[in-house]
Amino acid sequence: MHIDKLIDSIKQKQNPTVVGLDPKLEYVPDFILNNSFDKFGKSLEGAADAIWEFNKALIDQLYDIVPAVKPQSAYYEMYGWQGVQAFFKTIQYAKQKGLFVIADVKRNDIGSTAAAYATAYLGFTDVAGQKIAVFDADAATVNAYLGLDGVQPFLEHNKTIFVLVKTSNPSSGQLQDLAFGDKTLYQNVAELIKDWGSNYVGKYGFSNVGAVIGATYPQQLETLRKSMPNTFFLVPGFGAQGAGADEIIGAFNTNGLGAIINSSRSIICAYKNKNCMQQDFAMAAREEAIKMRDDIIKALGGGTL
Amino acid sequence: MHIDKLIDSIKQKQNPTVVGLDPKLEYVPDFILNNSFDKFGKSLEGAADAIWEFNKALIDQLYDIVPAVKPQSAYYEMYGWQGVQAFFKTIQYAKQKGLFVIADVKRNDIGSTAAAYATAYLGFTDVAGQKIAVFDADAATVNAYLGLDGVQPFLEHNKTIFVLVKTSNPSSGQLQDLAFGDKTLYQNVAELIKDWGSNYVGKYGFSNVGAVIGATYPQQLETLRKSMPNTFFLVPGFGAQGAGADEIIGAFNTNGLGAIINSSRSIICAYKNKNCMQQDFAMAAREEAIKMRDDIIKALGGGTL
C-alpha cells in the first residue's frame, strides 16, 4: 500500500518527522526577497518567486535528513495563482529529491467535487483524452465533515490521506469534543477512519487512511494510538505551537512507528531564533531538523525504528 | 454590513438565485475547446483557457438576471495553478459585471493558517509594505470543524461567509446528524453560527455569517429557517442534485428573503439538456436562469422580494 512508501523512508532515514513548508514572506531572508523583487517587482509574482527560492534552498539542506515535507496551501494561495504555482514547483522539486510530499490542503466537498479535489492533488486530470498529473502529491489532508462521500474519492488514486480527527488549535474542542453518547465527535471520526481504511492496510499494518491528531492534546493522542492500531498519525503542533518530545511519544506504537511529527516555524525560521547569518538560513534549518530527529528518537528510547 | 450588498442585489434583480460556475471540461462546447487547444495545446493551459472563455460567455448572458455567481474552486484546481488563474479571472470579470461572487472553497485550518486563507479570498496580502488584493471575492464558504479559531479570521475583512451546516450530499448525515440529547452536530454548528454572527447584523436583519444548508434536506432547511432568523442561507442541491422549487421555499422567511438558491449544471449545461446549437450555450443558460427565477418567485407566492 502507498503508506508503506512513507514508512520505508522513515525507517531508511531513522526519522519520523516532517518539515512544514509554511513560507510566510516575513520568514524569507532579505537577500532572497530583494533578488525576487528585483526580478519581478514588489508584486504577487515577486512574492511567489521568493517563497519558491526559500523552499528550494530549504529542501536542498533537508532532503537527506527528513523523509517528508508538508507545504501548507494557504500560505501559497495568499499570493494568488502565482503562489499556487510556487506550491506546485515546491511539490515537484521535493519529489525529485526523494521526499514524500503531504499537500496540506484540508479539502472537503460533496462527492463529484471531492473527486475533482482528489484528481487535483493525487491523480491525473483528463484533457482531450490525455491524462496529465496536476499537483501530484503523495498525500493530502482531508476534512471529513461531509462524511464518506467527501472522503471516498481520495481513496481511488492509490495514495495516502490524513483525515482531521483532533486538531491542534485551542478551539478544536468546540465541535470535536462534543459528546454523542459515550463517544466524542472526534472519536466518531476516528471510528469512521478505521472503517474507511480497513481495505487499504499495508505491510507494516498501517492503512492509506491516516489521521491528523494535534501534539497539543497528548492525552487524546495516546488514547487514540491504542484504539487505532492500523492508523498512521500526522501530528502537528510540535515546536512553535507548544508541544515537545514528551508530548508526542504517545503517538508511536511499541515499534516506534505509527506517527510522523510536523514542525514548521521552529525549523524554517531557525536562523531567526538562533540569530545567525541570513545566508545560513537553510543550514540552520538542517541543524534544527537534526536536533528534532535526535530529541524524538531519544524520547522513544533510542532504538531503531 | 456586507451581506446587505447581496440582499440589495437580490431585491434589485428580484432574483434569489446564484449560478454555480463548476466548469468541467466536458461541459465546455467543442468550438471553445478547439480554440483554446489551438492557442495553448492540449494542456493544463489549454484547459484553463477554455474554462475561462466558457465562464466569460456565461457571465455575459447572466449578469443582468442573477445577483451572484459561485465558482467552485475544485474544478479549477483540477487544472493546476493555470486553472486557479482562470478562477481568479472569473472572479474579477464577474465583479466587473456587477455580480456578487461567492468563492466556494470550503477552507478550514488553525488560526494563523485560516487567517492566510481569509487574506487570500477576502482580504489584502502584504508584499513589502504594499497591500495587494488577491482573489478578492465577496464571500467564501468555510468549514467550521476546527471551531472558532478557524472561522474568526474570515470575519475580519468586512465581507461575508457561509459556514457549512447541513450539506446536500447523501452521506451528510454520517457526522452532521450525530445526536446528543436534543441537538444534532449540525444544530450545534447552527447555534455557533448564530453566536459568531451576532455582532455583524445588517439592515435587513441578516448577519455576515451565513450558513450552507442543502436543498436535498427540505425538512431541516425549514426547521433551521425558523431557528436562525438572522442567518442567510446558501442553498445548494437545486436542479441536478434533485431538489426543485417546492423543496426550497422553506429556506425563505415571510418577506421572501433569507436565502440564495444555487444551481450549477442545470444552468451551465442547459444547452446540452435542450439539445440546442453549441454556439447558443450561453443563451440557453440565460433562459434556464430566467425559468429558475420565475419558478422560485412563483413558489414563493409571486410577491415582491
Side-chain angles (χ1 to χ4, degrees):
Chain A
M1 289 293 162
H2 188 266
I3 186 77
D4 298 334
K5 179 178 172 188
L6 173 60
I7 303 173
D8 283 342
S9 187
I10 286 173
K11 288 166 73 72
Q12 192 251 315
K13 288 170 178 163
Q14 286 296 297
N15 187 353
T17 72
V18 50
V19 174
L21 297 175
D22 300 357
K24 290 178 92 160
L25 221 55
E26 66 213 56
Y27 300 167
V28 179
D30 288 336
F31 75 93
I32 290 183
L33 287 173
N34 293 337
N35 196 41
S36 296
F37 292 152
D38 283 346
K39 279 193 284 181
F40 298 100
K42 289 177 180 176
S43 61
L44 296 181
E45 280 83 3
D49 185 69
I51 67 184
W52 153 241
E53 290 293 341
F54 179 62
N55 285 348
K56 187 173 178 295
L58 288 167
I59 288 166
D60 282 340
Q61 284 297 335
L62 291 169
Y63 77 91
D64 59 320
I65 303 297
V66 300
V69 288
K70 181 175 78 68
Q72 167 45 264
S73 186
Y75 293 108
Y76 301 80
E77 293 176 44
M78 210 163 73
Y79 301 104
W81 61 265
Q82 300 93 328
V84 178
Q85 185 179 21
F87 182 74
F88 167 75
K89 287 160 70 172
T90 297
I91 294 173
Q92 303 323 305
Y93 190 71
K95 283 168 48 177
Q96 272 180 49
K97 305 299 274 189
L99 291 165
F100 185 97
V101 180
I102 303 171
D104 195 354
V105 291
K106 296 184 176 71
R107 295 301 191 250
N108 60 102
D109 219 296
I110 66 172
S112 45
T113 311
Y117 275 135
T119 294
Y121 291 97
L122 306 178
F124 295 84
T125 199
D126 193 292
V127 180
Q130 297 200 91
K131 294 290 186 194
I132 305 179
V134 190
F135 291 96
D136 204 27
D138 290 291
T141 51
V142 175
N143 181 316
Y145 187 74
L146 290 87
L148 178 61
D149 295 344
V151 176
Q152 182 65 40
F154 287 91
L155 304 181
E156 284 159 24
H157 297 278
N158 189 28
K159 288 200 173 172
T160 297
I161 62 170
F162 294 96
V163 182
L164 304 186
V165 173
K166 175 64 179 165
T167 58
S168 60
N169 56 305
S171 77
S172 83
Q174 223 170 2
L175 291 170
Q176 296 163 31
D177 290 358
L178 285 175
F180 299 94
D182 62 340
K183 283 221 283 283
T184 59
L185 172 60
Y186 78 79
Q187 286 168 325
N188 273 279
V189 178
E191 288 304 306
L192 286 173
I193 284 170
K194 287 165 67 175
D195 184 44
W196 294 337
S198 58
N199 290 335
Y200 301 91
V201 179
K203 66 184 180 185
Y204 295 106
F206 292 103
S207 84
N208 288 345
V209 184
V212 179
I213 301 163
T216 42
Y217 295 99
Q219 204 162 325
Q220 292 85 330
L221 191 51
E222 197 172 327
T223 307
L224 289 166
R225 176 71 282 149
K226 295 189 178 80
S227 66
M228 304 177 87
N230 304 116
T231 308
F232 209 86
F233 294 172
L234 167 61
V235 184
F238 184 94
Q241 280 185 60
D246 292 334
E247 277 73 40
I248 52 82
I249 51 174
F252 296 89
N253 65 16
T254 49
N255 294 335
L257 295 180
I260 189 157
I261 313 300
N262 183 80
S263 184
S264 306
R265 270 169 289 171
S266 299
I267 292 181
I268 69 180
C269 294
Y271 78 105
K272 291 199 179 210
N273 301 335
K274 293 172 195 258
N275 234 349
C276 61
M277 303 274 287
Q278 281 208 354
Q279 274 72 4
D280 297 331
F281 76 97
M283 188 58 70
R286 180 189 179 85
E287 285 171 11
E288 191 66 24
I290 289 171
K291 179 179 184 302
M292 180 184 178
R293 175 197 69 194
D294 293 348
D295 286 350
I296 289 175
I297 295 292
K298 183 174 170 189
L300 286 175
T304 304
L305 301 179
Chain B
M1 288 292 160
H2 187 266
I3 185 77
D4 298 332
K5 179 178 172 188
L6 174 59
I7 304 173
D8 283 341
S9 188
I10 286 172
K11 287 165 73 73
Q12 192 252 315
K13 288 172 177 161
Q14 287 295 297
N15 187 353
T17 73
V18 49
V19 174
L21 297 176
D22 302 358
K24 290 177 93 160
L25 221 55
E26 67 213 54
Y27 300 167
V28 180
D30 289 336
F31 74 93
I32 290 184
L33 286 173
N34 293 337
N35 196 41
S36 297
F37 292 153
D38 282 346
K39 279 193 284 181
F40 298 102
K42 289 178 181 177
S43 61
L44 296 181
E45 281 82 3
D49 185 68
I51 66 184
W52 153 240
E53 290 292 342
F54 179 62
N55 285 348
K56 187 173 177 296
L58 287 168
I59 289 166
D60 281 341
Q61 284 297 335
L62 290 169
Y63 75 92
D64 59 319
I65 302 297
V66 299
V69 288
K70 182 175 78 69
Q72 167 44 265
S73 186
Y75 294 108
Y76 302 79
E77 293 175 44
M78 208 163 74
Y79 301 104
W81 60 267
Q82 300 92 327
V84 178
Q85 185 179 20
F87 184 74
F88 167 74
K89 286 161 71 171
T90 297
I91 294 173
Q92 304 322 306
Y93 190 70
K95 284 170 44 177
Q96 272 180 50
K97 305 298 275 189
L99 290 165
F100 185 97
V101 181
I102 302 171
D104 196 354
V105 291
K106 297 183 176 70
R107 296 301 192 250
N108 60 105
D109 219 298
I110 66 173
S112 45
T113 311
Y117 276 135
T119 294
Y121 292 97
L122 306 179
F124 295 85
T125 199
D126 193 293
V127 178
Q130 298 198 92
K131 294 290 187 193
I132 304 180
V134 190
F135 291 97
D136 205 26
D138 290 291
T141 50
V142 175
N143 182 315
Y145 187 74
L146 290 87
L148 178 61
D149 296 342
V151 176
Q152 182 65 39
F154 287 91
L155 304 181
E156 285 159 23
H157 297 279
N158 190 28
K159 287 200 174 172
T160 296
I161 62 170
F162 294 97
V163 182
L164 304 186
V165 173
K166 175 64 179 166
T167 59
S168 59
N169 56 306
S171 77
S172 82
Q174 221 170 4
L175 291 170
Q176 295 163 32
D177 290 357
L178 285 175
F180 175 64
D182 61 343
K183 280 224 281 284
T184 59
L185 172 60
Y186 78 80
Q187 285 168 326
N188 274 278
V189 178
E191 288 304 308
L192 286 173
I193 284 170
K194 287 165 67 176
D195 183 45
W196 294 336
S198 58
N199 290 334
Y200 301 90
V201 179
K203 67 184 180 186
Y204 295 106
F206 293 102
S207 84
N208 288 345
V209 185
V212 178
I213 302 162
T216 42
Y217 296 98
Q219 203 163 326
Q220 292 86 331
L221 190 51
E222 196 172 327
T223 307
L224 289 167
R225 175 73 281 149
K226 296 189 178 80
S227 65
M228 305 177 86
N230 304 116
T231 308
F232 208 85
F233 294 172
L234 167 60
V235 183
F238 184 95
Q241 280 185 61
D246 292 335
E247 277 73 40
I248 53 84
I249 49 173
F252 296 90
N253 65 16
T254 50
N255 295 333
L257 294 181
I260 189 157
I261 314 299
N262 183 79
S263 182
S264 306
R265 270 169 289 172
S266 299
I267 292 182
I268 70 181
C269 294
Y271 78 104
K272 291 199 179 211
N273 301 335
K274 293 171 195 257
N275 233 349
C276 60
M277 303 274 289
Q278 280 208 356
Q279 274 73 2
D280 297 331
F281 77 96
M283 188 58 69
R286 180 189 179 84
E287 286 171 8
E288 190 64 25
I290 289 171
K291 178 179 184 304
M292 181 184 178
R293 175 198 68 193
D294 293 348
D295 287 349
I296 289 175
I297 294 293
K298 184 175 169 188
L300 285 176
T304 303
L305 301 179

